[in-house]
Amino acid sequence: MTTPAQDAPLVFPSVAFRPVRLFVISIGISAVAVVAAAFSGHLMLGVFFGGGLLLGLLNALLVRRSVDSITSQDHPLKRSMAINSASRLALITVIALIIAYVFRPAGLGVMFGLALFQVLLVISTAVPVWKKLRAGVPGDSSTGPEERGTGT
């Protein structure tokens, strides 16, 4: 008997998520954005850009919290994670769009900050995993046939 996809257990691999590092990078990029925006005469664009980066970090922290709480259940379901993700993303998007609309045109910096944060998040989690894969983890299935034993 097979379990329907929506009722299947939820499994997440361990991910190299370092929020403090992302916070420091976001603050550094925000400072550069504010200085560059100030020199171009659009200081608030840089401020809102930094706000978008921090809003993205808040989203990432909420993701980690929700994953921890959902996977700690006896039988975590994909449906609960999907509902949580959709509601969280809707809320973050609505907040960003309200800021962008109310403080237009400089408020659009929030949207650009959110977008850049997603790129930073992917890079900061993918690079350590990529390095680990390239180094070859002991007990990994990527070992050659000479190490696996061919039965001869």
Side-chain angles (χ1 to χ4, degrees):
M1 180 194 266
T2 7
T3 305
Q6 68 270 16
D7 296 330
L10 190 60
V11 178
F12 282 97
S14 63
V15 180
F17 175 63
R18 295 195 167 93
V20 174
R21 177 185 291 176
L22 284 171
F23 177 72
V24 170
I25 291 170
S26 294
I27 293 297
I29 292 173
S30 296
V32 170
V34 167
V35 168
F39 279 125
S40 69
H42 301 285
L43 175 68
M44 291 310 292
L45 180 68
V47 171
F48 284 117
F49 183 82
L53 287 169
L54 295 179
L55 195 58
L57 181 61
L58 173 67
N59 181 43
L61 291 171
L62 291 174
V63 167
R64 183 173 72 174
R65 193 181 100 199
S66 67
V67 167
D68 288 345
S69 68
I70 290 172
T71 56
S72 68
Q73 299 171 359
D74 289 336
H75 302 288
L77 298 177
K78 291 178 184 176
R79 182 182 314 156
S80 60
M81 188 64 190
I83 290 170
N84 183 287
S85 294
S87 59
R88 186 189 62 259
L89 288 175
L91 179 67
I92 297 271
T93 303
V94 166
I95 290 170
L97 286 173
I98 288 171
I99 292 170
Y101 181 76
V102 170
F103 298 102
R104 66 181 180 262
L108 283 173
V110 170
M111 302 304 285
F112 293 118
L114 273 172
L116 180 63
F117 183 81
Q118 294 307 312
V119 173
L120 289 174
L121 182 64
V122 168
I123 290 171
S124 71
T125 55
V127 168
V129 172
W130 181 71
K131 285 181 180 178
K132 192 177 223 183
L133 288 173
R134 294 218 5 133
V137 181
D140 190 9
S141 62
S142 64
T143 56
E146 63 279 350
E147 293 179 19
R148 278 190 245 148
T150 56
T152 58

